[in-house]
């Protein structure tokens, strides 16, 4: 008996059945536009279908040229475009799942000069001003949606999802924020929702009754002049009448300044919104956003907040998610940690999406770990992300792996990252790798620093060095004081930190430390506290679900964050998450200083120069977050042992190291060793 009975319960849609309540949410992978990408996409989806997903929704496909998100984005408007979609639908059906194609018209989010919107109102997140749609263009677009859906049916899809949320075209029509029209498609609410209703009716007329139509309804806009709860309910009811089969939840416009999917968002933080609609509507409703474990998914379904759950990134992290849940092996699930580093950040840089914790995602035909015909005895030095990943994948191939770790726990610097408030999910990656190390019977030796004498005592064929990095030290006058400490000492609780603190270095770790030291609480994931912090009103009294005022918490310390560069602080942070880190520092009232030269530390504080002018920061503690250097102290003696040696992760290159590179390098070496 599975511990997740609600998650695994089939859903009867009348004309068709879904095998369980799991919807794999829409994700643009970048394969859609690559040469030969649909074959790779078919493998990607098939693994998820074989892994147990009930219903897959594809990445957004435009119904016409001007609705594309980017100039080269995928579109389904002509019969000759159907063939490549058949490769995908066939593969998914062979895997036992159903698949719907998402139709997405970007509206003013289109990243090209041909974008259209209800009115000529530029979005704050795109450089292009859209043209206001003429009535002819509106009618043409409705027809294009219907044509696209009909072609999707011909391509073998089980249905379509109409993207009506996240601030895309349909959402732009629904809200006065962008819709300033005075014709039949603007003004009153009835006029503003005319477009989505006509689109759904036109699609239903073209595809007949036995075809799934999902509507992604923006249930909480999280922007000024968004919809009120009453309007969302009214639209939901009208959509039911118009013939939708399922209503999926949309949370927040892309331009909203409230995090909706980042790791610092508490798990299942928006299920309450779907629950509000559940009381009013009768078609199945899908809950979304930061649902990343079978436990939270089951809880949402069992408590009646929704009929299905949508998870997208968790299926990049682990295609076998559902099967593992069904086998009561949730400990073996590779959990999405909500970092966005390899998925959304890649998409926004026009790179193929993948996953920090699973480098195989979207590389299913390129990264594999087949059994080796010549097993080797491999010694691995260091159980950080690079060493753990290598050990697991090499052992999966049949090599005999011994993993040496100097400390009493695996995880390397992830043990520090997980202490940052809002980064608790990093625990899950450590748990996953621990589970896999045991599963593949890796010989794990904790509290065992590897050195030349250990290597001489045991017969190994090759050595993999994954000893990571050491924090950079700064040798300046007064920096030998016990009040000048490293970020590692702070996070490990080895030193006292005063009330006035200067942080030297404003990279990812400097920002994280500022957050850590500015917070009163060690965790920020308590939902009510988090809603207050970001100004979300769960009573939904105001339009968009915004509270009258966000209530940031009083900072725990007076903090200064410093860098030598003159550029804006935090420029190198993740594309989709950097703004959140910057906002948190504003909430903590951190003083940001750039163009700084460091002079000395004494009883008065930290002496610096900015534009050659001396300044004194009256701080009692200085925390050095000035990057790292490769941990190579033992390399010369290891080299003398004469074993073939490979370097991965931080010990290979310390600059711009992140866990994405560390894990990927481990996987790539395991593939070829
Ligand atoms: P490490 O994690 O440094 O692991 C090296 C391991 O080798 C350690 O366990 C060490 O004890 C062991 N070792 C060293 N010498 C020996 C020896 N002689 N014998 C045996 N074992 C030895 N990255 C991201 O991508 N995203 C983030 O959001 C992020 N946040 C971070 C937040 C903080 C506060 C910190 C400190 C880091 C963060 N990082 C983040 C960086 C990320 O943790 C590193 O990039 C990653 O851990 C590097 O992996 P690694 O395996 O190369 O090295
Ligand atoms: P980093 O990003 O390289 O930043 C180092 C900082 O130290 C910079 O601000 C640099 O700025 C300063 N610095 C470098 N050398 C210095 C010197 N000699 N004296 C004084 N200041 C110096 O490194 P990090 O912050 O340690 O992060 C390490 C890696 O972890 C990063 O590459 C990052 O990818 C990863 N990480 C990611 C996240 C995330 O949220 N994605 C979070 C944490 C960590 P100046 O040179 O201008 O002074
Ligand atoms: Fe999740 Fe990060 Fe992987 Fe994206 S890259 S799927 S956010 S773990």
């Amino acid at each position: 008996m599975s511990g997740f009975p609600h998650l695994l319960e089939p859903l009867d849609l009348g004309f068709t059945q879904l095998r369980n309540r799991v919807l794999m949410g829409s994700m643009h992978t970048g394969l859609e536009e690559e040469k030969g990408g649909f074959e790779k996409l078919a493998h990607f989806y098939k693994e998820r279908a074989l892994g147990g997903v009930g219903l897959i929704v594809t990445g957004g496909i435009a119904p016409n040229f001007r609705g594309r998100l980017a100039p080269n984005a995928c579109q389904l408007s002509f019969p000759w475009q159907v063939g490549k979609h058949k490769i995908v639908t066939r593969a998914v059906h062979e895997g036992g799942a159903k698949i719907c194609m998402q139709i997405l018209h970007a509206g003013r989010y289109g990243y090209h000069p041909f974008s259209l919107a209800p009115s000529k109102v530029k979005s704050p997140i795109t450089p292009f001003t859209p043209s206001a749609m003429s009535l002819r263009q509106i009618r043409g677009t409705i027809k294009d949606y219907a044509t696209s859906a009909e072609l999707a049916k011909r391509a073998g899809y089980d249905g379509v999802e109409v993207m009506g949320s996240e601030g895309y075209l349909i959402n732009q029509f629904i809200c006065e924020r962008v819709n300033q029209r005075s014709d039949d498609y603007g003004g009153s609410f009835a006029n503003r929702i005319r477009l989505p209703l006509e689109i759904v009716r036109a699609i239903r007329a073209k595809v007949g009754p036995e075809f799934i139509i999902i509507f992604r309804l923006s249930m909480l806009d999280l922007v000024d002049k968004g919809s009120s709860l009453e309007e969302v309910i009214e639209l939901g009811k009208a959509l039911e009448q118009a013939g939708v089969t399922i209503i999926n939840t949309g949370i927040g416009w892309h331009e909203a300044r409230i995090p909706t999917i980042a790791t610092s968002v508490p798990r299942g933080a928006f299920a309450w919104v779907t629950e509000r609609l559940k009381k009013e509507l009768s078609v199945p409703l899908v809950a979304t956003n930061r649902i990343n474990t079978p436990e939270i998914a089951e809880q949402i379904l069992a408590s009646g907040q929704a009929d299905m759950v949508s998870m997208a990134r968790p299926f990049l992290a682990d295609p076998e998610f559902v099967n593992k849940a069904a086998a009561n092996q949730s400990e073996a699930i590779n959990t999405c940690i909500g970092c966005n580093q390899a998925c959304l950040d890649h998409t926004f840089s026009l790179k193929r999406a993948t996953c920090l914790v699973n480098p195989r995602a979207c590389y299913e035909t390129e990264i594999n770990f087949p059994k080796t015909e010549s097993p080797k005895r491999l010694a691995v030095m260091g159980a950080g992300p690079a060493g753990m990943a290598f050990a697991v994948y090499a052992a999966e191939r049949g090599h005999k792996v011994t993993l040496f770790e100097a400390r009493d726990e695996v995880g390397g610097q992830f043990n520090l990252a997980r202490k940052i408030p809002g980064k608790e999910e990093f625990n899950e990656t450590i748990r996953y790798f621990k589970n896999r190390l045991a599963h593949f019977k890796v010989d794990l030796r904790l509290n065992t620093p590897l050195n030349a004498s250990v290597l001489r005592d045991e017969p190994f064929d090759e050595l993999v060095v994954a000893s990571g990095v050491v924090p950079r030290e700064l040798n300046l006058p007064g920096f030998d004081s016990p009040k000048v400490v490293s970020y590692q000492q702070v996070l490990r609780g080895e030193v006292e930190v005063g009330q006035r603190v200067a942080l030297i270095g404003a990279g990812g770790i400097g920002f994280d430390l500022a957050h850590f030291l500015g917070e009163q609480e060690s965790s920020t994931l308590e939902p009510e506290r988090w809603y207050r912090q970001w100004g979300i009103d769960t009573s939904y009294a105001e339009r968009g679900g915004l509270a009258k005022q966000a209530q940031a918490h009083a900072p725990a310390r007076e903090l200064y964050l410093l860098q030598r560069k003159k550029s804006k602080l935090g420029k190198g942070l993740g594309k989709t998450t950097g703004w959140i880190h910057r906002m948190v520092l504003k909430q903590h009232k951190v003083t940001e200083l750039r163009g700084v030269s460091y002079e000395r530390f004494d009883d008065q504080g930290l002496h610096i120069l900015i534009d050659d002018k001396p300044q004194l920061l009256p701080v009692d503690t200085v925390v050095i977050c000035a990057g790292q250097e490769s941990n190579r102290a033992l390399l010369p003696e290891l080299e003398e042992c004469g074993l073939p040696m490979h370097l991965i992760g931080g010990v290979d290159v310390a600059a711009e190291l992140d866990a994405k590179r560390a894990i990927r390098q481990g996987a790539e070496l395991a593939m070829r060793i």
Side-chain angles (χ1 to χ4, degrees):
M1 167 79 181
S2 162
F4 308 102
H6 295 87
L7 189 69
L8 301 170
E9 190 187 341
L11 180 64
D12 190 355
L13 297 173
F15 61 90
T16 188
Q17 282 75 41
L18 303 180
R19 62 180 165 182
N20 55 43
R21 304 301 177 107
V22 181
L23 182 147
M24 174 173 151
S26 173
M27 282 181 288
H28 180 256
T29 64
L31 288 169
E32 295 81 354
E33 290 84 30
E34 271 187 28
K35 199 163 175 278
F38 269 67
E39 280 79 7
K40 291 179 184 170
L41 203 54
H43 279 90
F44 167 73
Y45 284 133
K46 187 169 181 178
E47 282 203 11
R48 275 77 195 159
L50 288 169
V53 170
L55 175 62
I56 291 173
V57 177
T58 67
I61 307 285
N64 55 31
F65 176 72
R66 296 187 79 164
R68 292 177 179 206
L69 203 45
N72 71 336
C74 203
Q75 175 185 342
L76 181 56
S77 306
F78 307 104
W80 58 265
Q81 293 169 324
V82 164
K84 60 184 182 181
H85 287 269
K86 284 188 175 163
I87 310 172
V88 164
T89 55
R90 202 176 303 125
V92 169
H93 291 148
E94 281 167 11
K98 296 203 161 21
I99 181 162
C100 292
M101 186 188 86
Q102 188 187 73
I103 310 179
L104 178 146
H105 190 304
R108 69 175 188 161
Y109 283 168
Y111 213 82
H112 49 74
F114 313 106
S115 62
L116 293 173
S119 307
K120 195 175 171 181
V121 184
K122 191 181 146 322
S123 102
I125 57 169
T126 32
F128 303 98
T129 302
S131 310
M133 285 171 93
S134 66
L135 275 178
R136 202 161 148 255
Q137 282 170 322
I138 293 178
R139 286 188 202 113
T141 298
I142 295 168
K143 244 172 124 182
D144 292 340
Y145 267 90
T147 304
S148 207
E150 191 193 23
L151 293 172
K153 191 175 180 189
R154 267 202 247 165
Y157 287 104
D158 302 282
V160 290
E161 176 173 83
V162 177
M163 175 41 128
S165 62
E166 326 303 282
Y168 291 116
L169 181 79
I170 291 176
N171 216 174
Q172 293 160 24
F173 266 88
I174 295 169
C175 298
E176 280 174 336
R177 180 177 175 81
V178 185
N179 188 342
Q180 299 167 1
R181 303 177 72 93
S182 52
D183 60 7
D184 285 353
Y185 291 89
S188 67
F189 185 63
N191 279 355
R192 283 184 275 126
I193 61 173
R194 192 179 301 280
L195 178 75
L197 296 177
E198 288 185 350
I199 286 173
V200 171
R201 284 192 208 110
I203 292 176
R204 186 52 85 206
K206 267 272 165 74
V207 297
E210 305 207 337
F211 193 65
I212 299 171
I213 302 180
I214 309 172
F215 190 91
R216 186 106 187 252
L217 172 63
S218 188
M219 295 192 193
L220 188 75
D221 289 320
L222 296 178
V223 287
D224 258 1
K225 296 191 190 158
S227 296
S228 66
L229 177 63
E230 294 67 33
E231 288 175 343
V232 175
I233 293 169
E234 189 181 330
L235 175 54
K237 287 183 175 167
L239 287 166
E240 285 186 335
Q241 292 296 315
V244 298
T245 324
I246 294 172
I247 292 183
N248 193 358
T249 303
I251 301 287
W253 290 38
H254 285 319
E255 67 208 56
R257 290 296 87 181
I258 295 174
T260 54
I261 60 167
T263 185
S264 55
V265 177
R267 287 181 184 170
F270 293 103
W272 63 270
V273 186
T274 315
E275 187 182 12
R276 294 294 285 268
L277 271 284
K278 184 105 175 68
K279 296 185 185 113
E280 310 285 342
L281 305 180
S282 52
V283 294
L285 297 190
V286 189
T288 66
N289 287 53
R290 284 286 287 128
I291 301 169
N292 67 338
T293 64
E295 288 78 10
I296 183 77
E298 177 70 14
Q299 187 188 312
I300 288 168
L301 294 169
S303 62
Q305 290 183 298
D307 304 285
M308 292 185 77
V309 285
S310 168
M311 292 175 269
R313 297 171 300 166
F315 290 108
L316 286 176
D318 198 332
E320 287 279 327
F321 182 105
V322 180
N323 285 349
K324 288 177 183 172
N328 285 328
Q329 290 174 353
S330 49
E331 286 292 293
I333 291 176
N334 197 359
T335 305
C336 165
I337 59 174
C339 65
N340 284 357
Q341 284 176 241
C343 50
L344 275 181
D345 284 351
H346 276 211
T347 304
F348 279 84
S349 317
L350 302 180
K351 287 199 280 191
R352 193 196 300 183
T354 180
C355 174
L356 180 141
V357 298
N358 173 25
R360 280 196 72 242
C362 301
Y363 287 81
E364 284 72 15
T365 56
E366 291 144 274
I367 299 184
N368 276 299
F369 307 104
K371 278 270 174 279
T372 175
E373 286 176 3
S374 45
K376 294 175 182 166
R377 292 161 301 186
L378 303 171
V380 184
M381 175 180 175
M388 291 193 298
F390 172 81
V392 163
Y393 294 127
E396 184 176 347
R397 291 196 55 207
H399 292 298
K400 191 170 171 344
V401 185
T402 308
L403 177 57
F404 295 89
E405 170 52 51
R407 301 186 77 88
D408 60 358
E409 57 186 0
V410 299
Q413 289 185 72
F414 259 35
N415 288 302
L416 304 178
R418 69 191 174 89
K419 296 199 174 146
I420 307 299
K423 275 195 169 177
E424 292 80 352
E425 292 288 4
F426 284 57
N427 277 311
E428 301 296 345
T429 304
I430 300 176
R431 183 262 308 145
Y432 166 75
F433 276 113
K434 259 192 206 164
N435 179 287
R436 293 286 90 185
L437 290 168
H439 178 82
F440 289 114
K441 300 194 167 46
V442 171
D443 179 4
L444 173 63
R445 303 200 196 158
L446 296 176
N447 299 306
T448 314
L450 185 68
N451 53 33
S453 78
V454 177
L455 278 183
R456 281 191 207 98
D457 287 349
E458 289 190 50
F460 290 111
D461 299 313
E462 294 186 31
L463 168 64
V464 176
V465 184
S467 52
V469 288
V470 286
R472 179 173 287 122
E473 290 179 7
L474 301 182
N475 293 316
L476 291 166
F479 273 44
D480 52 355
S481 158
K483 292 180 177 171
V484 179
V485 297
S486 78
Y487 67 85
Q488 295 203 345
Q489 289 172 299
V490 173
L491 291 175
R492 291 199 175 115
E494 293 168 356
V495 287
E496 286 285 317
V497 179
Q499 280 307 110
R500 291 167 155 197
V501 183
L503 296 147
I504 293 188
I509 290 179
F511 269 75
D512 273 355
L513 261 283
H515 189 176
F516 178 83
L517 292 171
E519 269 299 338
Q520 303 275 7
E521 311 278 335
S522 61
S523 172
T524 48
L525 295 181
E526 197 277 301
E528 293 304 327
R529 182 183 193 278
W530 185 83
Y531 299 135
R532 282 197 302 280
Q533 178 188 359
W534 290 99
I536 299 167
D537 172 21
T538 53
S539 76
Y540 214 146
E542 301 288 327
R543 289 185 167 274
L546 295 177
K548 288 216 162 72
Q549 212 178 351
Q551 290 171 25
H553 307 278
R557 291 183 171 83
E558 189 181 330
L559 296 167
Y560 298 85
L561 183 61
L562 319 174
Q563 73 173 24
R564 297 172 304 176
K565 286 188 287 289
K566 290 210 161 156
S567 53
K568 195 170 103 185
L569 269 71
K571 232 178 149 209
L573 296 175
K575 268 191 184 298
T576 60
T577 51
W579 64 273
I580 303 172
H581 295 293
R582 284 191 290 271
M583 278 184 76
V584 168
L585 262 55
K586 278 210 174 69
Q587 292 170 359
H588 288 339
K589 300 187 170 53
V590 175
T591 305
E592 301 181 3
L593 297 174
R594 46 183 152 162
V596 177
S597 299
Y598 309 106
E599 292 279 285
R600 65 181 190 283
F601 179 75
D602 60 24
D603 288 345
Q604 292 179 295
L606 181 66
H607 298 261
I608 58 172
L609 295 176
I610 297 182
D611 294 332
D612 293 329
K613 289 195 194 87
Q615 286 196 28
L616 169 65
L617 304 181
V619 296
D620 44 35
T621 311
V622 173
V623 182
I624 300 181
C625 311
Q628 294 96 11
E629 281 155 10
S630 294
N631 182 11
R632 290 176 165 223
L634 287 182
L635 283 199
E637 70 169 81
L638 296 176
E639 271 163 5
E640 279 180 18
C641 296
L643 289 177
M645 194 161 91
H646 312 267
L647 268 53
I648 53 172
V651 69
D652 178 30
V653 181
E656 290 178 23
L657 168 70
D658 60 9
K660 179 176 75 176
R661 169 159 58 88
I663 292 176
R664 194 174 186 90
Q665 258 189 306
E668 284 174 349
L669 177 62
M671 202 168 57
R672 56 173 199 269
I673 203 163

